[in-house]
Amino acid sequence: MFKRIWLAAWLISLVMLVYIGRLAWLQLMPGSSPAAVLSQQASRGGWQRLSVQQRQRNLVLDTGRGDFYDRYGVPITGETYSAVALFPIRKEMRGQKEDLIELSGLLGMTEEQLQLKWDAVREPVFWKADGGQLPMRLTDAQAKRIKELKLNGIRVLPYRNRYLQQFEAKHVIGFTSQHPEWLQAVHAKELASGKRKLAEQVGGSGLEKSLDKLMHGVGATSVSYFIDGQNAPMHGLDMRITQPSNRYYPLKAITTIDLKLQNEIEDYVDAQGMQEGAVVVLDTSNADIVAMVSRPQLKPGQFQSSDGSEWANHALKAAAPGSVFKLVTEAAALEAGAVNRHETFFCNGEYGKYGLSCWKEGGHGHVTLEEGLAQSCNIVFATIAERLKASELKRTADALGIGRQAGWHYEEAFGPFAAPLRLLEEEESGQLFAPAGSLKTGGESGSGNTGKRSGKQTAQLEAREQAAMLAAVDGGVLAQSGIGQRDVMMSPLQAANLIVTMLNEGRVMEPRLVSEIRYANGQRMVKLPAQRAQAIHGRIRPATAHALLRGMQAVVDHGTGRSIRQGLWAVAGKSGTAETIRAGTARNNLWFAGYGPVKKPRYAIAVLVENQPPGSANQATKLFRGVMDIAAALPTGE
């Protein structure tokens, strides 16, 4: 019996000695092990500090993310206002009942409701009114009075709101959200070093996503509130603000957007009832994106699906263009010498094959090429399309920037990104014919063993497949493609840039959305210069561009766009109606793309109204006129 008691005592003593030795080692021994950091902190009173940190409650005031500004320096994101912060404090420690009653009145509720909501707080939070997505905005008088109450666990703090309340969120700017899987896959090193956190907000779409590497900043600003083990305030400690010491951050991204014009266009299309579609406004001199509106509206934090449909930017999505594509068909015919611009065609309303007919019953009779564009005659354009080789139509489409992403990009390592940069990551390329990869030639498939081929071999195979595909295109495909139907797809951004290309005598620019990025002190970090698109098949002749511009003027003067002749500026352009299917039901995409003023073009504008019932009036034409009048009435720089 005595032996067992002695053995138990010896074991207990040994365990205690191990624990004491461990504690002494942590307290006194320096080194390079993980515990060394703790021991070094302990030698400077770190254990007391660590024990306090275990009971501190942190609240993020500002994520440190950079902001976006319009071309005139007006903020598009970012504002700071006063809000009430609640910290988890025991009920008996909160303060006088009279002060609580007054606070509840200032917050718009009863004292009992305030206590119930406060009881539910486990971590520091900003106070939100019932149903509100953001912390309640305090007036100066409210903020002053709440500070005077000096309630424990209640503080008036500056809250940094990302998205301004005075206007709707912008698809072109995008949104932020938590995405820990993406952070783990892309930023594992930054997570390991503590530079980034799994719970932080990252760019989910738009510029927020494409510029996330820079805009996420160098750290958040947070406030710490200290409480003891009984959730009572620790007297003498109160609050501590922690913030990055780098004076160059957060960064400022200067966009090409005219915010006032953008907001007025948004209000206008909503008032006109546009439910689905887009408006793109480009500067005709360099293709800078002055406004880009997409509908349905973007509502960050209220998404119901994960497929991207609710935040899709319709200005960047490819859709059937209908008769707007006749500009490309005419350019191809003129470039190939397949038509003379003075040639006369006859339209009796029926093409006689492929099931094609003209939109005008009975036809247009005898018309010239220019009149065929002005009246949007399907017979004229099916005829000239059939005269072309598929390769000729494809070559001209390439020369006009159709069938590839149009937006500003840099294929080599760009500046502070140290990687290729594309500002409009969600932009779709569109197409002219069905993808080449869907065709098998020479016993090989475009998607079979490409992983085992060299880049040169893959390019050669793709070129052979495309050549075979183009050679297989028959007259029916050409006729339908020539009027913007069948497999033809184009985005509103491409349509607007097509107009800019015509106005610049065939020179294709890359629409730019950001002009420069600046440090917090205003010093320039990097400039993103306006640039021309890399030519694939050269450019169209200036004479071809001039012929198309004359045709677009005729459209508005006495053609399908004559309803918009009256306005602040004389305008020119091309309308389009494309037949499509939505959920098994026939629908139309309505287009208008053009420019103004005619004598000294300033803006190129493309409007798309999607999924309208067949037979609907072309709402896009009316919206184009309205948008152009808004732009004409807006002084530069306001």
Side-chain angles (χ1 to χ4, degrees):
M1 181 72 176
F2 176 77
K3 188 175 182 180
R4 287 198 300 270
I5 293 173
W6 182 86
L7 180 62
W10 184 84
L11 288 173
I12 293 172
S13 299
L14 181 62
V15 171
M16 292 298 295
L17 285 171
V18 170
Y19 277 110
I20 292 171
R22 171 68 173 170
L23 181 60
W25 182 73
L26 288 174
Q27 289 272 12
L28 303 173
M29 293 296 292
S32 58
S33 66
V37 175
L38 297 179
S39 64
Q40 291 168 6
Q41 288 177 328
S43 67
R44 300 188 299 271
W47 289 114
Q48 291 91 337
R49 183 169 64 257
L50 291 173
S51 66
V52 169
Q53 286 177 347
Q54 290 178 353
R55 300 307 304 168
Q56 72 182 29
R57 294 293 184 262
N58 295 321
L59 181 64
V60 174
L61 307 179
D62 184 351
T63 65
R65 193 171 182 86
D67 284 312
F68 296 96
Y69 297 79
D70 85 343
R71 57 173 48 197
Y72 304 116
V74 179
I76 301 177
T77 61
E79 63 172 347
T80 300
Y81 61 83
S82 295
V84 171
L86 278 71
F87 293 81
I89 298 294
R90 296 203 323 268
K91 183 178 293 187
E92 62 270 20
M93 299 297 299
R94 292 173 182 171
Q96 298 296 321
K97 186 176 182 64
E98 294 78 9
D99 291 339
L100 286 169
I101 293 174
E102 184 174 355
L103 174 63
S104 64
L106 291 169
L107 298 179
M109 61 177 49
T110 65
E111 188 262 340
E112 291 77 11
Q113 290 172 323
L114 172 61
Q115 293 279 19
L116 283 174
K117 291 199 174 187
W118 204 346
D119 289 343
V121 170
R122 295 294 177 265
E123 294 292 334
V125 296
F126 278 108
W127 175 265
K128 298 178 182 179
D130 288 339
Q133 296 292 320
L134 295 173
M136 175 180 171
R137 186 187 299 262
L138 299 177
T139 65
D140 291 342
Q142 287 174 322
K144 179 181 179 182
R145 183 53 190 153
I146 293 174
K147 289 177 181 178
E148 291 172 348
L149 295 177
K150 295 183 179 179
L151 289 163
N152 289 324
I154 292 290
R155 290 293 182 271
V156 174
L157 297 173
Y159 173 74
R160 184 68 176 175
N161 177 35
R162 180 107 189 119
Y163 301 110
L164 307 184
Q165 290 184 306
Q166 56 263 40
F167 50 77
E168 296 289 341
K170 318 294 182 189
H171 288 83
V172 71
I173 299 298
F175 64 92
T176 62
S177 64
Q178 290 186 351
H179 199 331
E181 298 86 358
W182 177 80
L183 280 167
Q184 286 176 324
V186 180
H187 295 288
K189 290 183 178 179
E190 290 90 337
L191 288 171
S193 65
K195 292 181 179 179
R196 303 199 70 159
K197 307 294 183 184
L198 276 179
E200 75 179 39
Q201 296 278 315
V202 299
S205 72
L207 287 178
E208 293 279 26
K209 182 179 181 182
S210 60
L211 297 180
D212 183 76
K213 184 174 182 179
L214 291 181
M215 302 308 287
H216 83 274
V218 295
T221 296
S222 60
V223 61
S224 300
Y225 189 87
F226 298 92
I227 57 178
D228 62 21
Q230 301 299 316
N231 275 4
M234 295 189 69
H235 298 292
L237 289 178
D238 195 38
M239 294 191 308
R240 181 179 66 189
I241 301 292
T242 303
Q243 60 186 358
S245 59
N246 193 326
R247 62 188 180 89
Y248 292 104
Y249 288 82
L251 298 177
K252 301 177 179 181
I254 310 302
T255 72
T256 58
I257 296 294
D258 182 332
L259 185 58
K260 184 173 179 60
L261 177 61
Q262 171 88 17
N263 287 336
E264 289 197 15
I265 293 174
E266 289 181 4
D267 291 342
Y268 172 69
V269 299
D270 290 341
Q272 294 297 315
M274 187 174 83
Q275 300 296 316
E276 187 176 2
V279 177
V280 177
V281 182
L282 301 183
D283 186 324
T284 57
S285 65
N286 57 8
D288 275 356
I289 300 171
V290 183
M292 181 178 280
V293 176
S294 175
R295 288 294 180 267
Q297 289 181 347
L298 177 66
K299 296 185 180 298
Q302 301 180 38
F303 302 132
Q304 301 297 318
S305 64
S306 59
D307 61 1
S309 60
E310 292 179 279
W311 63 78
N313 187 345
H314 288 245
L316 304 178
K317 291 183 67 66
S323 294
V324 169
F325 191 77
K326 290 173 181 175
L327 295 168
V328 179
T329 304
E330 181 175 334
L334 290 170
E335 290 292 293
V339 66
N340 184 307
R341 72 183 188 90
H342 299 295
E343 184 178 348
T344 299
F345 302 83
F346 180 73
C347 169
N348 63 5
E350 297 296 331
Y351 192 53
K353 49 185 175 178
Y354 314 130
L356 290 176
S357 60
C358 193
W359 64 269
K360 184 178 181 180
E361 188 174 350
H364 291 98
H366 291 281
V367 290
T368 62
L369 180 62
E370 184 175 294
E371 281 302 298
L373 184 67
Q375 303 301 331
S376 200
C377 178
N378 288 343
I379 306 306
V380 170
F381 283 88
T383 299
I384 65 175
E386 273 210 88
R387 294 180 185 178
L388 295 166
K389 297 176 182 178
S391 58
E392 292 172 331
L393 184 56
K394 179 73 164 59
R395 184 181 299 111
T396 300
D398 287 342
L400 293 171
I402 306 301
R404 54 192 167 101
Q405 291 173 301
W408 191 100
H409 72 289
Y410 203 83
E411 295 181 353
E412 300 175 2
F414 182 79
F417 288 86
L421 173 63
R422 182 173 290 278
L423 291 176
L424 301 171
E425 289 188 356
E426 297 98 341
E427 183 190 359
E428 296 181 353
S429 298
Q431 65 181 31
L432 176 52
F433 301 114
S438 64
L439 181 67
K440 294 182 180 181
T441 61
E444 292 185 286
S445 169
S447 58
N449 299 314
T450 55
K452 298 180 180 179
R453 303 187 187 100
S454 68
K456 182 177 180 180
Q457 288 174 325
T458 300
Q460 289 173 340
L461 176 60
E462 291 175 351
R464 289 199 302 270
E465 288 182 337
Q466 185 174 93
M469 179 270 292
L470 292 175
V473 172
D474 61 21
V477 174
L478 281 168
Q480 293 175 66
S481 300
I483 61 174
Q485 289 287 168
R486 197 178 172 90
D487 301 313
V488 181
M489 301 284 281
M490 181 190 300
S491 71
L493 176 64
Q494 290 173 325
N497 201 40
L498 173 63
I499 304 301
V500 174
T501 300
M502 302 298 181
L503 291 168
N504 285 274
E505 298 187 322
R507 290 181 289 269
V508 183
M509 303 295 295
E510 290 186 353
R512 182 178 58 158
L513 186 54
V514 176
S515 59
E516 60 182 8
I517 298 174
R518 298 175 185 169
Y519 291 110
N521 62 4
Q523 179 182 348
R524 179 189 292 171
M525 179 189 206
V526 63
K527 180 178 176 63
L528 284 66
Q531 61 189 26
R532 289 175 58 179
Q534 184 175 358
I536 298 177
H537 294 295
R539 53 182 277 199
I540 64 171
R541 294 172 299 178
T544 299
H546 294 159
L548 292 166
L549 294 175
R550 288 192 295 270
M552 285 189 278
Q553 293 171 23
V555 167
V556 176
D557 182 68
H558 55 274
T560 56
R562 58 186 176 276
S563 62
I564 60 170
R565 282 180 296 185
Q566 302 301 317
L568 296 180
W569 283 343
V571 298
K574 182 71 189 77
S575 61
T577 301
E579 297 175 356
T580 186
I581 301 294
R582 176 71 173 269
T585 303
R587 285 289 184 266
N588 286 343
N589 287 339
L590 308 177
W591 291 80
F592 198 96
Y595 63 95
V598 168
K599 290 186 177 180
K600 193 175 181 180
R602 183 172 168 189
Y603 296 121
I605 297 175
V607 180
L608 167 62
V609 180
E610 295 179 86
N611 298 309
Q612 297 299 294
S616 301
N618 194 329
Q619 186 186 12
T621 302
K622 178 182 178 182
L623 290 176
F624 173 87
R625 176 75 266 179
V627 170
M628 193 64 81
D629 284 347
I630 291 172
L634 192 64
T636 302
E638 294 188 10

